[in-house]
């Protein structure tokens, strides 16, 4: 059995809650199963066989006491009998029969009968009908049946099923329960809620509880789902990578409250259909009548990178939820004063925190999702203002709003939007980074890390784009700098926005070496579809964006001391752009390669090049 052990967590003279596992253990004991086997099947993995032996003694005392209290005299006596006190009737009867060899020696020592004839004589003489009645064996058989019946009676009357309000210490192994309690998980209901919030890797939030122990706990909770009144969701027990983005397990039902746009059910009085800032009798029907429909139409019209679209959704979502739940207004009823209050007051400190602020690691599909992970910096507030101002202008242009309520909101004072000059490496620093990570012989991890560094520098990709890159995204095409159709080079296809980025031959060679070190074909085309370019060297799965960030931080901070406190993952992206522009690359070419929505963003890199000069 792989469920948590049934060992008593409190080591008292009796057991508070008897489970079916307890009775299964004691039934095996009465049937004569060895203590060692019982310990292997039911025992606590953290103790030796003596723990199971003590538990059996404790069960014997507990069951006898319970039988006495109910005046079940027979059970009181029978459940204290130890294995061997009632010999098995079949074993007793079998032990009285002679072997076939002994029968031959006694009946036919000279070998007169054939083997078949001797076997027929043996069966005739020792058949069940001709065997003498063994009254002792018959009595023992009856005693064993009565003992089994007594144990079944006690199980039916005493066994308890786990309930949500039961402490975890009453059901789980003491060491595991201890660790759960240190994570503020005190009851089974707390445990179920914690798993639902955290998902498949919930155990990462509990110190010294690993995947195997977590699997046993989840299996046990699933076994008792009926009595607990809760079946763990597919989202909670399935690794996220195994769920498609459109999997029903990830879909939240529509509801009112602080929920994402895709699950929001706006009350009819606040849906914006009668907003006070709505355009009166527009000349052309805009095609949407509520604020939520208008926001979705605006988001659909934004043909930018995935990162940009997520930012637009985040800001419009926050404003809509604030309008409904903090102001009690439709978004299309917000005034200029309301919008100024939102930017200048609310975003600085979203309160009440329990209502608005959650963890960055909670997915949008989870009930504990919140629109904020903390107060916004001045730069983030200015970004929100700019995005919402653009949305207001678009809605006015669509004849949905009569005026843009953010038109009079003052800009939030901030420093440079992208500090490229202060967050990129000089050519000399980059050479030091490359030299420090170059090896004659690489370990698999060192090779993977150097490939990540080189791929990021040569392409300027964001870490999320690097994490999504697979062999299926690699194609061979004519080099941009060559007119010879035979001069092919590898290119990486990137989405959001769609673009192709050439991969230098030196980086391709690192990729081939990395694939071979992982036991894969050296030719990317020969690899299985969607083989990640940057993989976890233990699991083989694609590195997450956070995992790639950790690689960059570790590599950079280990070479350049000043980066130890702030080794941002954007240093490599900025360095790529800075060096490319210094070498004469066109600004629009860099814009296309980086996937910038606006050329003005790329021009910040140009300014940085002139400010820093040649190093």
């Amino acid at each position: 059995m792989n469920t948590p052990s049934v060992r008593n967590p409190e080591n008292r003279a009796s057991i508070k809650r008897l489970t079916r596992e307890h009775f299964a253990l004691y039934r095996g004991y009465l049937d004569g199963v060895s203590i060692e086997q019982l310990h292997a099947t039911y025992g606590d993995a953290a103790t030796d066989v003596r723990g199971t032996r003590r538990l059996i003694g404790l069960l014997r005392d507990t069951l006898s006491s319970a039988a006495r209290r109910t005046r079940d005299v027979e059970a009181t006596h029978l459940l204290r009998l130890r294995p061997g006190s009632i010999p098995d009737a079949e074993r007793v009867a079998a032990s009285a029969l002679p072997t076939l060899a002994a029968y031959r020696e006694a009946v036919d020592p000279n070998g007169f009968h054939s083997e078949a004839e001797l076997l027929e004589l043996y069966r005739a003489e020792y058949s069940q009908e001709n065997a003498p009645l063994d009254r002792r064996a018959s009595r023992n058989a009856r005693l064993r049946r009565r003992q089994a019946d007594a144990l079944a009676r006690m199980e039916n009357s005493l066994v308890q099923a786990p309930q949500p309000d039961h402490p975890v210490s009453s059901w789980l192994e003491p060491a595991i329960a201890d660790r759960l309690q240190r994570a503020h998980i005190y009851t089974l209901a707390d445990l179920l809620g914690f798993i639902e919030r955290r998902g498949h890797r919930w155990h990462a939030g509990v110190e010294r509880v690993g995947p195997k122990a977590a699997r046993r706990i989840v299996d046990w909770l699933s076994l008792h789902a009926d009595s607990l009144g809760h079946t763990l969701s597919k989202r909670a027990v399935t690794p996220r990578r195994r769920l498609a983005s459109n999997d029903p397990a990830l879909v939240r039902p529509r509801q009112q409250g602080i929920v994402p746009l895709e699950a929001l059910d706006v009350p009819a009085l606040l849906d914006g259909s009668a907003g006070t800032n709505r355009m009166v009798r527009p000349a052309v029907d805009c095609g949407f009548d509520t604020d939520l429909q208008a926001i979705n139409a605006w988001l659909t019209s934004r043909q930018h990178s995935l990162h940009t679209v997520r930012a637009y959704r985040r800001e419009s979502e926050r404003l809509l939820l604030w309008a409904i739940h903090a102001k009690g207004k439709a978004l299309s009823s917000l005034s200029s004063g309301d919008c100024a209050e939102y930017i200048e007051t609310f975003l600085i400190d979203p309160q009440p925190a329990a209502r608005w602020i959650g963890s960055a690691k909670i997915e949008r599909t989870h009930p504990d999702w919140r629109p904020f992970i903390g107060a916004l910096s001045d730069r983030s507030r200015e970004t929100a203002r700019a995005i919402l101002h653009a949305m207001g202008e678009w809605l006015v242009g669509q004849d949905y709003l009569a005026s843009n309520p953010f038109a009079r909101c003052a800009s939030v004072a901030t420093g440079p939007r992208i500090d490229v000059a202060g967050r990129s490496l000089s050519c000399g620093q980059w050479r030091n980074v490359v030299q420090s990570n170059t090896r004659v012989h690489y370990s698999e991890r060192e090779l993977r890390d150097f490939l990540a560094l080189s791929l990021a520098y040569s392409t300027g990709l964001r870490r999320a784009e690097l994490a999504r890159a697979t062999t299926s995204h690699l194609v061979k095409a004519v080099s941009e700098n060559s007119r010879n159709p035979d001069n092919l080079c590898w290119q990486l296809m990137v989405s959001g926005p769609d673009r192709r980025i050439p991969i230098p031959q030196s980086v391709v060679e690192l990729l081939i070496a990395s694939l071979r070190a992982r036991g894969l074909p050296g030719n990317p085309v020969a690899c299985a579809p969607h083989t990640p370019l940057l993989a976890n060297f233990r699991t083989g799965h694609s590195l997450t964006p956070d995992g790639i960030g950790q690689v960059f931080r570790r590599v950079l901070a280990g070479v350049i001391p000043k980066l130890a406190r702030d080794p941002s993952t954007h240093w490599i992206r900025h360095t790529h752009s800075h060096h490319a522009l210094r070498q004469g690359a066109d600004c629009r070419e860099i814009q296309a390669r980086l996937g910038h929505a606006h050329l003005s963003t790329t021009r910040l890199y140009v300014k940085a090049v002139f400010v820093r000069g040649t190093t």
Side-chain angles (χ1 to χ4, degrees):
M1 178 181 292
N2 293 323
T3 56
S5 78
V6 296
R7 185 166 74 88
N8 179 40
E10 300 189 0
N11 197 23
R12 295 179 179 175
S14 63
I15 300 173
K16 280 198 306 184
R17 292 191 174 94
L18 288 168
T19 69
R20 299 203 181 277
E21 287 83 1
H22 283 123
F23 282 93
L25 168 64
Y26 201 67
R27 185 175 292 109
Y29 165 73
L30 293 178
D31 287 342
V33 179
S34 70
I35 299 295
E36 291 74 18
Q37 181 59 44
L38 291 172
H39 176 71
T41 306
Y42 300 103
D44 184 347
T47 66
D48 60 22
V49 70
R50 291 175 294 180
T52 299
R53 187 176 287 112
R54 285 194 296 270
L55 175 58
I56 289 172
L58 188 57
L59 281 170
R60 185 189 304 114
D61 294 339
T62 301
L63 293 173
S64 297
S65 298
R68 261 196 313 274
R69 286 197 304 272
T70 60
R71 298 186 180 182
D72 190 337
V73 178
E74 183 181 51
T76 303
H77 170 67
L78 289 173
L79 295 181
R80 291 197 68 85
L81 294 178
R82 298 177 185 274
S85 300
I86 311 175
D88 189 290
E90 293 181 2
R91 287 200 299 268
V92 171
S95 65
L97 297 176
T99 64
L100 186 59
Y103 183 72
R104 178 193 296 276
E105 186 66 27
V107 176
D108 188 24
N110 298 320
F112 179 78
H113 296 288
S114 67
E115 185 77 16
E117 291 172 334
L118 186 68
L119 187 59
E120 186 176 352
L121 288 172
Y122 179 85
R123 287 174 174 168
E125 185 169 347
Y126 290 104
S127 65
Q128 187 64 35
E129 292 80 4
N130 297 332
L133 178 63
D134 189 332
R135 293 182 179 178
R136 182 183 177 190
S138 179
R139 169 185 170 275
N140 288 339
R142 287 198 302 273
L143 278 175
R144 288 182 64 79
R145 284 196 298 271
R146 287 164 59 194
Q147 187 184 55
D149 291 343
L151 187 63
R153 288 200 304 276
M154 300 303 293
E155 182 175 5
N156 289 335
S157 61
L158 296 177
V159 73
Q160 293 192 35
Q163 298 297 318
D165 60 343
H166 288 175
V168 291
S169 59
S170 296
W171 293 97
L172 304 181
E173 298 171 9
I176 295 295
D178 237 14
R179 294 161 192 166
L180 292 174
Q181 288 168 344
R182 286 200 293 271
H184 307 293
I185 301 170
Y186 303 106
T187 67
L188 295 178
D190 294 340
L191 178 57
L192 288 165
F194 190 85
I195 295 173
E196 288 288 2
R197 286 193 301 276
R198 295 295 188 108
H200 175 67
R201 286 188 50 80
W202 64 271
H203 55 88
V206 183
E207 186 180 358
R208 296 178 62 203
V209 172
K212 290 184 179 178
R215 181 72 261 169
R216 290 170 58 204
I217 291 171
V218 167
D219 288 345
W220 184 82
L221 291 170
S222 300
L223 183 67
H224 296 285
D226 289 342
S227 62
L228 291 170
H230 184 95
T231 299
L232 288 169
S233 67
K234 181 180 178 183
R235 190 200 62 81
V237 299
T238 307
R240 181 65 180 83
R241 64 179 178 274
R242 296 183 186 171
L243 296 175
S245 58
N246 59 349
D247 192 294
L250 299 178
V251 177
R252 289 186 64 170
R254 287 204 168 272
Q255 60 188 115
Q256 297 181 6
I258 307 296
V259 298
L261 283 181
E262 61 270 18
L264 182 60
D265 181 15
V266 182
L269 293 176
L270 302 176
D271 67 2
S273 55
T276 57
N277 189 29
R278 288 289 302 274
M279 175 70 74
V280 179
R281 294 182 181 177
V284 180
D285 184 7
C286 58
F288 35 88
D289 192 50
T290 66
D291 295 341
L292 185 56
Q293 292 172 355
I295 288 174
N296 285 331
W298 176 64
L299 292 175
T300 302
S301 72
R302 304 296 90 183
Q303 300 298 321
H304 299 304
S305 70
L306 294 175
H307 176 79
T308 303
V309 171
R310 280 197 297 268
Y312 289 172
R313 180 188 64 187
R314 179 181 64 238
E315 300 307 335
S316 58
E317 182 176 66
R318 287 171 172 175
L319 179 66
L320 178 62
L321 292 173
W322 178 80
I324 294 171
H325 297 286
K327 301 299 291 183
K329 291 183 174 182
L331 182 144
S332 54
S333 293
L334 292 177
S335 65
S336 296
D338 294 328
C339 294
E341 177 189 349
Y342 176 75
I343 298 295
E344 297 170 11
T345 303
F346 180 73
L347 293 185
I348 294 176
D349 185 20
Q351 291 295 330
R355 189 180 197 185
W356 294 102
I357 299 176
S359 168
K361 294 186 177 181
I362 296 178
E363 294 187 5
R364 295 173 64 83
T365 57
H366 196 275
D368 284 348
W369 173 88
R370 296 293 181 269
F372 294 89
I373 59 173
L376 268 61
S377 66
D378 289 345
R379 192 179 308 282
S380 296
R381 289 192 298 119
E382 171 56 19
T383 298
R385 185 205 65 79
I387 290 174
L388 295 174
H389 179 274
M391 181 180 75
E393 287 296 303
W394 188 85
L395 293 176
V396 170
Q398 297 294 312
D399 289 338
Y400 183 78
L401 294 181
S403 63
N404 182 358
F406 283 91
R408 297 182 182 179
C409 282
S411 300
V412 180
T414 64
R417 185 151 53 99
I418 301 179
D419 184 13
V420 180
R423 297 172 72 83
S424 64
L425 305 178
S426 68
C427 293
Q429 288 174 325
W430 176 247
R431 281 195 297 271
N432 288 339
V433 171
V434 172
Q435 291 170 2
S436 298
N437 288 277
T438 301
R439 304 281 187 275
V440 177
H441 300 290
Y442 293 90
S443 69
E444 184 178 344
R445 180 173 182 169
E446 288 171 338
L447 185 57
R448 188 274 316 274
D449 290 357
F450 192 37
L451 171 62
L453 191 71
S454 303
L455 188 61
Y457 175 76
S458 63
T459 62
L461 294 180
R462 302 177 179 90
R463 63 180 190 176
E465 293 169 336
L466 289 167
R468 292 195 299 268
T470 70
T471 53
S472 300
H473 297 136
L474 288 171
V475 295
K476 270 197 169 182
V478 178
S479 171
E480 294 178 358
N481 300 321
S482 174
R483 296 180 180 179
N484 185 353
D486 296 327
N487 190 7
L488 300 179
C489 71
W490 285 102
Q491 295 182 350
L492 182 65
M493 296 186 296
V494 184
S495 59
D498 295 341
R499 57 201 193 276
R500 286 190 178 193
I501 301 178
I503 309 296
Q505 184 59 32
S506 60
V507 178
V508 174
E509 290 171 359
L510 281 174
L511 172 61
I512 291 172
S514 177
L515 291 173
R516 286 174 175 164
R518 290 156 55 187
L520 301 171
N523 185 350
V525 177
C527 292
H530 307 296
T531 298
L533 301 189
L534 301 175
N536 185 303
F537 68 94
R538 290 194 183 94
T539 66
H541 298 307
S542 176
L543 275 181
T544 64
D546 285 345
I548 291 175
Q550 289 173 12
V551 169
F552 290 165
R553 284 191 287 272
R554 181 172 63 250
V555 169
L556 293 179
V559 178
I560 304 176
K562 78 172 187 177
L563 300 185
R565 284 182 291 180
D566 182 29
S568 167
T569 57
H570 252 52
W571 280 76
I572 306 297
R573 181 169 164 87
H574 292 166
T575 300
H576 160 83
S577 307
H578 199 158
H579 291 185
L581 287 166
R582 180 175 294 163
Q583 293 167 9
D586 182 73
C587 191
R588 291 190 179 277
E589 176 189 340
I590 299 300
Q591 177 195 7
R593 189 180 304 172
L594 297 184
H596 284 157
H598 302 289
L599 185 60
S600 59
T601 303
T602 312
R603 283 176 177 153
L604 292 172
Y605 292 87
V606 179
K607 293 178 183 177
V609 171
F610 286 112
V611 168
R612 291 190 64 177
T614 303
T615 302

